[in-house]
Amino acid sequence: MDLGQFIIQNFQEFLTYTAFANATVGNLIMIAVGAFFIWLAIKKDFEPLLLVPIGLGIILGNIPFRADAGLEIGLYEDNSVLNIFYQGVRQGWYPPLIFLGIGAMTDFTALLANPKLMLIGASAQFGIFGAYMVALAMGFEPSQAAGIAIIGGADGPTAIFLSSKLSPNLMGAIAVCAYSYMALVPVIQPFIMRLLTTKKERVIKMKPGREVSQTERILFPIIGLLLTTFIVPSGLPLLGMLFFGNLLKESGKTTRLAKTAGAALNDIVVMLLGLTVGCSTQASEFLTFNTIKIFALGAMAFMIATASGVCFVKLMNLFLPEGKKLNPLIGNAGVSAVPMAARISNNLGLEYDRHNFLLMHAMGPNVAGVIGSAVAAGALLGFLS
């Protein structure tokens, strides 16, 4: 074989390894989806800390390569770097670490000052169980239906944790769906809130909550941990880390640990989680009819959860005396998208009365929603694992 033939033959062999030779229409579609996520994050400011890693992960996971080459570069190839990172998703390591960070950043004062707001966070979980029943009716297996339904809690880490245990084959679609709807909270919720409330209800002013002592703030994570995990032991990985992080914050003696958990550690885990979740959406796995059904069920669950929270506040007001009624606009905050859902309550309240600040009141059901979604996930895991 002369030199020219050798070069041509090896060049032709090289071409079979390129993405151009291995690309499918599905890969191109998913790369466009990833670019759209990045556009939403940067241009529209929709949860950029989540959508930028996920968007780039979608692009990265859909760069086509020759599968039989043994290159060990793909997410699903043993010993590849991406596969090692993905273990944190598949084995459920990342979600508890994120809950540690959430606990270290969360102030439960608003909830402690007005404990009945816990009921709003609980009512918003109706979206999860409503979607679960619909998913069963659509033909999903119980374990798959549970993973899909948890999207209604607007809690990406919880959705990943539960789906990694019950429906790992649907985890990519469930995770992307959960984070997509978290990012779209400002788009979806205001319409439902306006639809279900009157102008008179939107301008209800709530009295400031009582002052909460440091002793109460320290005891809350300990008592909360015991109460929730004694009822739902299967929620221990999430609830334990949530209350652990909060105890670090409130003890007053572990400020450095709380700052690390809520800042550096949380940021590192979010980056790895977002990137690997995005990478898991390879076209061959993601572009299926089940994915479309998951997104439809996720939207329904999220809308039911928002409506349940608002309607439950209206129901509570029937039994509350004048002067102590709650503004139904805080009902949307029962989902666990912290603090975005609470900000929406506040912004919508200011839209109808520029002196009506609802942020601190909405933070009560918002942090209750974090606990509620973890409890709901634990209940589903306990029944279906």
Side-chain angles (χ1 to χ4, degrees), residues 121-194:
S123 68
Q125 308 314 313
F126 285 130
I128 294 174
F129 296 101
Y132 175 70
M133 291 185 285
V134 175
L136 289 177
M138 291 177 67
F140 285 100
E141 296 176 3
S143 57
Q144 294 175 326
I148 296 167
I150 206 69
I151 295 169
D155 190 336
T158 302
I160 291 171
F161 177 79
L162 189 63
S163 59
S164 71
K165 304 295 184 185
L166 297 180
S167 48
N169 59 316
L170 300 178
M171 185 166 54
I174 289 171
V176 171
C177 180
Y179 278 115
S180 299
Y181 288 128
M182 283 178 66
L184 292 174
V185 162
V187 177
I188 299 172
Q189 285 198 327
F191 170 75
I192 299 172
M193 295 161 69
R194 289 189 179 97

Side-chain angles (χ1 to χ4, degrees), residues 107 110-111 117 206 327 329-330 332-333 337-350 355-367:
D107 186 352
L111 182 61
L117 297 178
M206 298 171 60
N327 191 313
L329 292 180
I330 70 171
N332 75 295
V338 180
M340 187 186 300
R343 288 177 186 158
I344 293 169
S345 304
N346 187 63
N347 292 342
L348 211 57
L350 292 174
H355 300 293
N356 194 10
F357 295 93
L358 297 173
L359 183 61
M360 289 309 298
H361 301 292
M363 282 303 298
N366 208 183
V367 297

